[in-house]
Amino acid sequence: MQKEIALQDLSQDKEFERYESQFKALADKKRLHIMNILTQRGKTCVCDLAPLMGMTQSKLSYHLKILWDAGIIHKETKGTNSYYSINMKEINHLLSHELCCIFKPSC
Amino acid sequence: MQKEIALQDLSQDKEFERYESQFKALADKKRLHIMNILTQRGKTCVCDLAPLMGMTQSKLSYHLKILWDAGIIHKETKGTNSYYSINMKEINHLLSHELCCIFKPSC
DNA sequence: CCTATTAATCAAATTTTCTTGATTAATTAA
DNA sequence: TTAATTAATCAAGAAAATTTGATTAATAGG
């Protein structure tokens, strides 16, 4: 049954890859700070986020893309503005209740 | 009250730094695989882990150190052997119940 | 149409992380 | 004591992630 084992390994590998990208997204102080601000403020425009983070637009876009690619934030464009917000479903799926609190306005 | 704000920012910064190092530790497919094996087998010796992971001793030590420095695995030395195991307390503190399952033998 | 605004993308430089092979340190057994 | 075993550490090179400044693309307003 070598094939089945191989298939299982493959799907486990895919699973690990997904978590790898999500943990990578969270594995940065600046991005955790972004997540925290998005939690406190809710849906927020890049142009508002940049001064709050003390970051250039280019750098901020880079980090937002990493969070968005990992599926842990939402993105919405209106006119020339982009608004980002927490994907609470993914965060709840990923993190402990205790840790989710860091990303919840109520805590 | 600028001082208090500064102090809070500082402690939040420290908090983010701690999570950064824990997420960094998990943000790697190989290390997730190590965690998975430690879960299935419980306390495991480096010399047993190396062939299971298909890794050289040096490389494995490097990755184990990252997990251990982040506090998500335990280490115990007996004679010339080192045994590693999951720090379930930290994992439960960090990850969702659903995700912890990946690191639980019962699931 | 022209200009201004906003944000994504690109390329080059820098920094960080990972890999490799060798060395070192500690312990055990002969 | 000597040799063998196990694992940590080191230094150099390779690979990946991040930063920076410039460019591009899309939209809005005059």
Coordinates of all heavy atoms in Angstrom, one line a residue, chain A residues 11-90:
Chain A
S11 N -0.7 14.9 1.3 CA -1.7 15.8 1.8 C -1.3 16.4 3.1 O -1.6 17.5 3.4 CB -3.0 15.0 1.9 OG -3.1 14.3 3.1
Q12 N -0.5 15.6 3.9 CA 0.0 16.2 5.1 C 1.0 17.3 4.8 O 1.0 18.3 5.5 CB 0.7 15.1 6.0 CG 1.0 15.5 7.4 CD 1.7 14.5 8.2 OE1 2.7 14.0 7.8 NE2 1.1 14.1 9.3
D13 N 1.8 17.0 3.8 CA 2.8 18.0 3.4 C 2.1 19.3 2.9 O 2.5 20.4 3.3 CB 3.5 17.4 2.2 CG 4.9 18.1 2.0 OD1 5.7 18.1 2.9 OD2 5.0 18.8 0.9
K14 N 1.0 19.2 2.2 CA 0.2 20.4 1.8 C -0.4 21.1 3.0 O -0.4 22.3 3.0 CB -1.0 19.9 0.9 CG -0.6 19.4 -0.5 CD -0.4 20.6 -1.5 CE 0.0 20.1 -2.8 NZ 0.9 21.0 -3.6
E15 N -0.8 20.3 3.9 CA -1.4 20.9 5.2 C -0.3 21.7 5.9 O -0.5 22.8 6.3 CB -1.9 19.8 6.0 CG -2.9 20.3 7.1 CD -3.4 19.1 8.0 OE1 -2.9 17.9 7.8 OE2 -4.3 19.3 8.8
F16 N 0.9 21.1 6.0 CA 2.0 21.8 6.7 C 2.4 23.0 6.0 O 2.7 24.0 6.6 CB 3.2 20.8 6.8 CG 3.0 19.8 7.9 CD1 3.9 18.7 7.9 CD2 2.1 19.8 8.8 CE1 3.8 17.7 8.8 CE2 1.9 18.8 9.8 CZ 2.8 17.7 9.8
E17 N 2.3 23.0 4.7 CA 2.7 24.2 3.9 C 1.7 25.3 4.1 O 2.1 26.5 4.2 CB 2.6 23.8 2.4 CG 4.0 23.6 1.8 CD 4.0 23.1 0.4 OE1 3.0 23.3 -0.4 OE2 4.9 22.3 0.0
R18 N 0.5 25.0 4.2 CA -0.5 26.1 4.5 C -0.3 26.7 5.9 O -0.3 27.9 6.0 CB -2.0 25.5 4.4 CG -3.0 26.4 5.0 CD -4.2 26.5 4.1 NE -5.2 27.4 4.6 CZ -5.3 28.7 4.3 NH1 -4.4 29.3 3.5 NH2 -6.3 29.4 4.8
Y19 N -0.1 25.9 6.9 CA 0.2 26.4 8.2 C 1.5 27.2 8.2 O 1.7 28.2 8.9 CB 0.2 25.3 9.2 CG -1.2 24.8 9.5 CD1 -1.5 23.4 9.3 CD2 -2.3 25.6 9.8 CE1 -2.7 22.9 9.5 CE2 -3.5 25.1 10.0 CZ -3.8 23.8 9.8 OH -5.0 23.3 10.0
E20 N 2.5 26.7 7.5 CA 3.8 27.3 7.4 C 3.6 28.8 6.9 O 4.1 29.7 7.5 CB 4.7 26.6 6.4 CG 6.1 27.3 6.2 CD 6.9 26.6 5.2 OE1 6.4 26.4 4.0 OE2 8.1 26.2 5.4
S21 N 2.8 29.0 5.9 CA 2.6 30.3 5.3 C 1.8 31.2 6.3 O 2.0 32.4 6.4 CB 1.9 30.3 4.0 OG 0.5 30.1 4.1
Q22 N 0.8 30.6 7.0 CA 0.1 31.4 8.0 C 0.9 31.8 9.2 O 0.9 32.9 9.7 CB -1.2 30.6 8.5 CG -2.1 30.4 7.3 CD -3.5 30.0 7.8 OE1 -3.7 29.2 8.6 NE2 -4.5 30.6 7.2
F23 N 1.7 30.8 9.7 CA 2.6 31.1 10.8 C 3.7 32.1 10.4 O 4.1 33.0 11.1 CB 3.3 29.9 11.4 CG 2.3 29.0 12.2 CD1 2.3 27.7 11.9 CD2 1.5 29.6 13.1 CE1 1.4 26.9 12.7 CE2 0.6 28.8 13.8 CZ 0.5 27.4 13.6
K24 N 4.2 32.0 9.2 CA 5.2 33.0 8.6 C 4.6 34.4 8.6 O 5.3 35.3 9.0 CB 5.6 32.6 7.2 CG 7.0 32.0 7.1 CD 7.4 31.7 5.7 CE 8.6 30.8 5.7 NZ 8.7 29.9 4.6
A25 N 3.3 34.5 8.2 CA 2.7 35.8 8.2 C 2.6 36.4 9.6 O 2.8 37.6 9.7 CB 1.3 35.6 7.6
L26 N 2.4 35.6 10.6 CA 2.3 36.1 12.0 C 3.7 36.2 12.6 O 3.8 36.8 13.7 CB 1.4 35.1 12.8 CG -0.1 35.1 12.4 CD1 -0.8 34.0 13.2 CD2 -0.7 36.4 12.7
A27 N 4.7 35.7 12.0 CA 6.0 35.6 12.6 C 6.8 36.8 12.4 O 8.0 36.8 12.1 CB 6.8 34.3 12.1
D28 N 6.2 38.0 12.7 CA 6.9 39.2 12.5 C 6.2 40.3 13.4 O 5.0 40.5 13.3 CB 6.8 39.6 11.0 CG 7.6 40.9 10.8 OD1 7.0 42.0 11.0 OD2 8.7 40.8 10.3
K29 N 7.0 41.0 14.2 CA 6.5 42.0 15.1 C 5.7 43.0 14.4 O 4.7 43.4 14.9 CB 7.8 42.6 15.8 CG 7.6 42.7 17.3 CD 8.8 43.2 18.0 CE 9.9 44.0 17.3 NZ 10.8 44.6 18.3
K30 N 6.2 43.5 13.3 CA 5.5 44.6 12.6 C 4.1 44.1 12.1 O 3.2 44.8 12.2 CB 6.3 45.0 11.4 CG 7.7 45.6 11.7 CD 8.4 46.0 10.4 CE 9.9 45.8 10.6 NZ 10.4 44.4 10.6
R31 N 4.1 42.9 11.6 CA 2.8 42.4 11.1 C 1.9 42.1 12.3 O 0.6 42.3 12.2 CB 3.0 41.1 10.3 CG 3.7 41.5 8.9 CD 3.7 40.4 7.9 NE 4.5 39.2 8.2 CZ 5.7 39.0 7.8 NH1 6.3 39.9 7.0 NH2 6.4 37.9 8.1
L32 N 2.4 41.6 13.4 CA 1.5 41.5 14.6 C 0.9 42.8 15.0 O -0.2 42.9 15.4 CB 2.3 40.8 15.8 CG 2.7 39.4 15.6 CD1 3.6 38.9 16.8 CD2 1.4 38.5 15.6
H33 N 1.8 43.9 14.9 CA 1.3 45.2 15.2 C 0.2 45.7 14.3 O -0.8 46.2 14.7 CB 2.5 46.2 15.2 CG 2.2 47.5 15.8 ND1 3.1 48.6 15.7 CD2 1.1 48.0 16.4 CE1 2.5 49.6 16.3 NE2 1.4 49.3 16.7
I34 N 0.4 45.4 13.0 CA -0.7 45.7 12.0 C -2.0 44.9 12.4 O -3.0 45.6 12.4 CB -0.2 45.2 10.6 CG1 0.9 46.1 10.1 CG2 -1.4 45.3 9.6 CD1 1.5 45.6 8.8
M35 N -1.9 43.7 12.7 CA -3.0 42.9 13.1 C -3.7 43.5 14.3 O -5.0 43.6 14.3 CB -2.6 41.4 13.5 CG -2.1 40.6 12.3 SD -3.3 40.2 11.0 CE -4.3 39.0 11.9
N36 N -2.9 44.0 15.3 CA -3.5 44.6 16.5 C -4.2 45.9 16.1 O -5.3 46.1 16.6 CB -2.3 44.8 17.4 CG -2.8 45.3 18.8 OD1 -2.4 46.4 19.2 ND2 -3.5 44.5 19.5
I37 N -3.6 46.7 15.3 CA -4.3 48.0 14.9 C -5.6 47.7 14.1 O -6.6 48.3 14.4 CB -3.3 48.8 14.0 CG1 -2.2 49.3 14.9 CG2 -4.1 50.0 13.4 CD1 -1.1 50.1 14.1
L38 N -5.6 46.7 13.2 CA -6.8 46.4 12.5 C -7.9 45.9 13.4 O -9.1 46.2 13.2 CB -6.5 45.3 11.4 CG -5.6 45.7 10.2 CD1 -5.5 44.6 9.2 CD2 -6.2 47.0 9.5
T39 N -7.5 45.2 14.4 CA -8.4 44.7 15.4 C -9.1 45.9 16.2 O -10.3 46.0 16.3 CB -7.7 43.8 16.5 OG1 -7.2 42.7 15.8 CG2 -8.7 43.4 17.5
Q40 N -8.2 46.8 16.6 CA -8.7 48.0 17.4 C -9.6 48.9 16.6 O -10.6 49.3 17.0 CB -7.5 48.8 18.0 CG -6.6 48.0 18.8 CD -7.2 47.4 20.0 OE1 -8.1 47.9 20.7 NE2 -6.8 46.2 20.4
R41 N -9.2 49.1 15.3 CA -9.9 50.1 14.5 C -10.9 49.5 13.5 O -11.7 50.2 12.9 CB -8.9 50.8 13.6 CG -7.9 51.7 14.4 CD -6.8 52.3 13.5 NE -7.5 52.8 12.3 CZ -7.8 54.1 12.1 NH1 -7.4 55.0 13.0 NH2 -8.3 54.5 11.0
G42 N -10.8 48.2 13.3 CA -11.7 47.6 12.3 C -11.1 48.0 10.9 O -10.0 48.4 10.8
K43 N -12.0 47.8 9.9 CA -11.6 48.1 8.5 C -10.8 49.4 8.4 O -11.4 50.5 8.8 CB -12.9 48.1 7.7 CG -12.7 48.1 6.2 CD -14.0 48.3 5.4 CE -15.0 47.1 5.7 NZ -16.2 47.3 4.8
T44 N -9.6 49.3 7.9 CA -8.8 50.5 7.9 C -8.1 50.7 6.5 O -7.6 49.7 5.9 CB -7.7 50.4 9.0 OG1 -8.4 50.3 10.2 CG2 -6.8 51.7 9.0
C45 N -8.0 51.9 6.1 CA -7.4 52.3 4.8 C -5.8 52.3 5.0 O -5.3 52.6 6.0 CB -7.8 53.7 4.4 SG -7.1 54.3 3.0
V46 N -5.2 51.9 3.9 CA -3.7 51.9 3.9 C -3.2 53.2 4.2 O -2.2 53.4 5.0 CB -3.2 51.4 2.5 CG1 -1.7 51.6 2.4 CG2 -3.6 50.0 2.2
C47 N -3.8 54.3 3.7 CA -3.3 55.6 3.9 C -3.4 56.1 5.4 O -2.7 56.9 5.8 CB -4.0 56.6 3.0 SG -5.8 56.6 3.2
D48 N -4.3 55.4 6.1 CA -4.4 55.7 7.6 C -3.5 54.8 8.4 O -3.0 55.2 9.4 CB -5.9 55.4 8.1 CG -6.8 56.5 7.6 OD1 -6.4 57.6 7.3 OD2 -8.0 56.1 7.4
L49 N -3.3 53.6 7.8 CA -2.4 52.6 8.5 C -1.0 53.0 8.5 O -0.2 52.8 9.5 CB -2.6 51.3 7.8 CG -2.3 50.0 8.6 CD1 -3.0 50.0 10.0 CD2 -2.8 48.8 7.8
A50 N -0.5 53.6 7.4 CA 0.9 54.0 7.2 C 1.4 54.9 8.3 O 2.4 54.5 8.9 CB 1.1 54.6 5.8
P51 N 0.7 56.0 8.6 CA 1.3 56.9 9.7 C 1.1 56.2 11.0 O 2.0 56.3 11.9 CB 0.4 58.1 9.6 CG -0.8 57.7 8.8 CD -0.4 56.6 7.9
L52 N 0.1 55.4 11.2 CA -0.1 54.7 12.5 C 1.1 53.7 12.7 O 1.6 53.5 13.9 CB -1.4 53.9 12.5 CG -2.7 54.7 12.7 CD1 -3.9 53.9 12.5 CD2 -2.7 55.3 14.2
M53 N 1.6 53.1 11.7 CA 2.7 52.1 11.8 C 4.0 52.8 11.6 O 5.0 52.2 11.9 CB 2.5 51.1 10.7 CG 1.5 50.0 10.9 SD 1.8 49.0 12.4 CE 3.3 48.2 11.9
G54 N 4.0 54.1 11.2 CA 5.3 54.7 10.9 C 6.1 54.0 9.8 O 7.3 53.8 9.9
M55 N 5.3 53.7 8.8 CA 5.9 52.9 7.7 C 5.7 53.6 6.4 O 4.6 54.3 6.2 CB 5.3 51.5 7.6 CG 5.9 50.4 8.3 SD 5.2 48.9 7.8 CE 6.0 47.8 9.0
T56 N 6.6 53.4 5.4 CA 6.3 53.9 4.1 C 5.2 53.1 3.4 O 5.0 51.9 3.8 CB 7.6 53.8 3.2 OG1 8.0 52.4 3.2 CG2 8.7 54.6 3.8
Q57 N 4.6 53.6 2.4 CA 3.5 53.0 1.7 C 4.0 51.6 1.1 O 3.3 50.6 1.2 CB 2.9 53.9 0.7 CG 1.9 53.3 -0.2 CD 2.4 52.7 -1.4 OE1 3.3 53.3 -2.1 NE2 1.9 51.5 -1.8
S58 N 5.2 51.7 0.5 CA 5.7 50.5 -0.2 C 5.9 49.4 0.8 O 5.6 48.2 0.5 CB 7.0 50.9 -0.8 OG 7.8 49.8 -1.1
K59 N 6.5 49.7 1.9 CA 6.8 48.7 2.9 C 5.6 48.1 3.5 O 5.4 46.9 3.7 CB 7.7 49.3 4.0 CG 8.4 48.4 4.9 CD 9.3 49.3 5.9 CE 10.1 48.5 6.9 NZ 10.9 49.4 7.6
L60 N 4.6 49.0 3.8 CA 3.3 48.5 4.3 C 2.6 47.6 3.4 O 2.1 46.5 3.7 CB 2.5 49.7 4.7 CG 1.1 49.5 5.3 CD1 1.3 48.7 6.6 CD2 0.5 50.8 5.6
S61 N 2.6 48.0 2.1 CA 2.0 47.1 1.1 C 2.6 45.7 1.0 O 1.9 44.7 0.9 CB 2.1 47.8 -0.3 OG 1.0 48.6 -0.6
Y62 N 3.9 45.7 1.2 CA 4.6 44.4 1.2 C 4.1 43.5 2.3 O 3.8 42.3 2.1 CB 6.1 44.7 1.3 CG 6.9 43.4 1.6 CD1 7.3 42.5 0.6 CD2 7.4 43.2 2.9 CE1 8.0 41.4 0.9 CE2 8.1 42.1 3.2 CZ 8.4 41.2 2.2 OH 9.2 40.1 2.4
H63 N 4.0 44.1 3.5 CA 3.6 43.3 4.7 C 2.1 42.9 4.6 O 1.7 41.8 5.0 CB 3.9 44.0 5.9 CG 5.4 44.1 6.3 ND1 6.1 42.9 6.6 CD2 6.3 45.1 6.2 CE1 7.3 43.2 6.8 NE2 7.5 44.5 6.6
L64 N 1.3 43.9 4.1 CA -0.1 43.6 4.0 C -0.4 42.4 3.0 O -1.2 41.6 3.2 CB -0.9 44.8 3.5 CG -1.1 45.9 4.6 CD1 -1.6 47.2 4.0 CD2 -2.1 45.4 5.7
K65 N 0.4 42.4 2.0 CA 0.3 41.3 0.9 C 0.6 40.0 1.6 O -0.1 39.0 1.3 CB 1.2 41.6 -0.2 CG 1.1 40.6 -1.3 CD 1.8 41.0 -2.6 CE 2.1 39.9 -3.6 NZ 1.0 38.9 -3.7
I66 N 1.6 39.9 2.4 CA 1.9 38.7 3.1 C 0.8 38.2 4.0 O 0.4 37.0 3.9 CB 3.2 38.8 3.9 CG1 4.4 38.9 3.0 CG2 3.4 37.7 4.9 CD1 5.7 39.3 3.6
L67 N 0.2 39.1 4.7 CA -1.0 38.7 5.5 C -2.2 38.3 4.7 O -2.9 37.3 5.0 CB -1.4 39.9 6.5 CG -0.3 40.3 7.6 CD1 -0.7 41.6 8.2 CD2 -0.3 39.2 8.6
W68 N -2.4 39.0 3.6 CA -3.5 38.8 2.7 C -3.3 37.4 2.0 O -4.2 36.6 1.9 CB -3.7 39.9 1.8 CG -4.9 39.8 0.9 CD1 -6.2 40.0 1.3 CD2 -4.9 39.5 -0.5 NE1 -7.0 39.8 0.2 CE2 -6.3 39.4 -0.9 CE3 -3.9 39.2 -1.4 CZ2 -6.6 39.2 -2.2 CZ3 -4.3 38.9 -2.7 CH2 -5.6 38.9 -3.1
D69 N -2.1 37.2 1.5 CA -1.8 35.9 0.8 C -2.0 34.7 1.7 O -2.4 33.7 1.2 CB -0.4 35.9 0.3 CG -0.1 36.8 -1.0 OD1 -1.1 37.2 -1.6 OD2 1.0 37.1 -1.3
A70 N -1.8 34.9 3.0 CA -2.0 33.8 3.9 C -3.4 33.7 4.3 O -3.8 32.8 5.0 CB -1.1 34.1 5.2
G71 N -4.2 34.6 3.9 CA -5.7 34.5 4.1 C -6.1 35.0 5.5 O -7.3 34.7 5.9
I72 N -5.3 35.7 6.2 CA -5.7 36.1 7.6 C -6.2 37.5 7.7 O -6.6 37.9 8.7 CB -4.6 35.8 8.6 CG1 -3.3 36.6 8.3 CG2 -4.3 34.3 8.7 CD1 -2.2 36.3 9.3
I73 N -6.2 38.2 6.6 CA -6.9 39.5 6.5 C -7.7 39.6 5.2 O -7.4 39.0 4.2 CB -5.9 40.8 6.6 CG1 -4.9 40.8 5.5 CG2 -5.2 40.8 8.0 CD1 -4.0 42.0 5.5
H74 N -8.8 40.5 5.3 CA -9.6 40.7 4.1 C -9.1 42.0 3.5 O -8.5 42.9 4.1 CB -11.0 41.0 4.5 CG -11.7 39.8 5.1 ND1 -11.9 38.6 4.4 CD2 -12.2 39.5 6.4 CE1 -12.5 37.7 5.2 NE2 -12.8 38.3 6.4
K75 N -9.5 42.2 2.2 CA -9.1 43.4 1.4 C -10.3 43.8 0.6 O -11.0 43.0 0.1 CB -8.0 43.1 0.5 CG -7.5 44.2 -0.4 CD -6.4 43.7 -1.3 CE -6.1 44.8 -2.3 NZ -4.9 44.4 -3.2
E76 N -10.5 45.2 0.6 CA -11.6 45.7 -0.1 C -11.2 47.0 -0.7 O -10.6 47.9 0.0 CB -12.7 46.0 0.9 CG -14.1 46.3 0.3 CD -15.1 46.5 1.5 OE1 -14.8 46.0 2.6 OE2 -16.1 47.2 1.3
T77 N -11.4 47.2 -2.0 CA -11.0 48.4 -2.7 C -12.1 49.3 -3.0 O -13.1 48.9 -3.6 CB -10.2 48.1 -4.0 OG1 -9.1 47.3 -3.6 CG2 -9.7 49.3 -4.6
K78 N -12.0 50.6 -2.7 CA -13.1 51.6 -3.0 C -12.4 52.8 -3.6 O -11.6 53.5 -2.9 CB -13.8 52.0 -1.8 CG -15.0 51.1 -1.4 CD -15.8 51.6 -0.3 CE -16.9 50.6 0.1 NZ -17.7 51.1 1.2
G79 N -12.6 53.0 -4.9 CA -11.9 54.1 -5.6 C -10.4 53.8 -5.6 O -10.0 52.7 -6.0
T80 N -9.7 54.8 -5.2 CA -8.2 54.6 -5.1 C -7.7 54.1 -3.8 O -6.6 53.8 -3.6 CB -7.4 55.9 -5.4 OG1 -7.8 56.9 -4.5 CG2 -7.8 56.4 -6.8
N81 N -8.7 53.9 -2.9 CA -8.3 53.4 -1.5 C -8.5 51.9 -1.3 O -9.4 51.3 -1.9 CB -9.1 54.1 -0.5 CG -8.8 55.6 -0.4 OD1 -8.0 56.1 -1.2 ND2 -9.4 56.3 0.5
S82 N -7.6 51.3 -0.5 CA -7.7 49.9 -0.1 C -7.9 49.8 1.4 O -7.2 50.5 2.1 CB -6.5 49.1 -0.5 OG -6.4 48.9 -1.9
Y83 N -8.9 49.0 1.7 CA -9.3 48.9 3.1 C -9.0 47.4 3.5 O -9.3 46.5 2.8 CB -10.7 49.2 3.4 CG -11.0 50.7 3.1 CD1 -11.4 51.1 1.9 CD2 -11.0 51.6 4.2 CE1 -11.6 52.5 1.6 CE2 -11.3 52.9 3.9 CZ -11.6 53.4 2.7 OH -11.9 54.7 2.4
Y84 N -8.3 47.3 4.7 CA -8.0 45.9 5.2 C -8.7 45.7 6.5 O -8.9 46.6 7.3 CB -6.5 45.8 5.3 CG -5.8 45.7 4.0 CD1 -5.3 46.8 3.3 CD2 -5.5 44.4 3.4 CE1 -4.6 46.7 2.1 CE2 -4.9 44.3 2.2 CZ -4.4 45.4 1.6 OH -3.7 45.3 0.4
S85 N -9.0 44.4 6.8 CA -9.6 44.1 8.1 C -9.2 42.6 8.4 O -8.8 41.8 7.5 CB -11.1 44.2 8.0 OG -11.7 43.4 7.0
I86 N -9.4 42.3 9.7 CA -9.0 40.9 10.2 C -10.0 39.9 9.6 O -11.2 40.1 9.5 CB -9.1 40.9 11.7 CG1 -8.2 41.9 12.4 CG2 -8.9 39.5 12.2 CD1 -6.8 41.5 12.3
N87 N -9.5 38.7 9.1 CA -10.3 37.6 8.8 C -10.5 36.8 10.1 O -9.7 35.9 10.3 CB -9.7 36.8 7.7 CG -10.5 35.6 7.3 OD1 -11.5 35.2 8.0 ND2 -10.2 35.1 6.1
M88 N -11.5 37.1 10.8 CA -11.7 36.5 12.2 C -11.9 35.0 12.1 O -11.5 34.3 13.0 CB -12.9 37.2 12.9 CG -12.8 37.2 14.4 SD -11.1 37.5 15.0 CE -11.2 39.0 15.8
K89 N -12.5 34.5 11.0 CA -12.7 33.1 10.9 C -11.4 32.3 10.8 O -11.2 31.3 11.6 CB -13.5 32.9 9.6 CG -14.1 31.5 9.5 CD -14.9 31.3 8.2 CE -15.1 29.8 7.9 NZ -15.1 29.5 6.4
E90 N -10.5 32.8 10.0 CA -9.2 32.2 9.9 C -8.4 32.3 11.2 O -7.8 31.3 11.7 CB -8.4 32.8 8.8 CG -8.6 32.2 7.4 CD -8.4 30.7 7.3 OE1 -7.3 30.3 7.7 OE2 -9.3 30.0 6.9

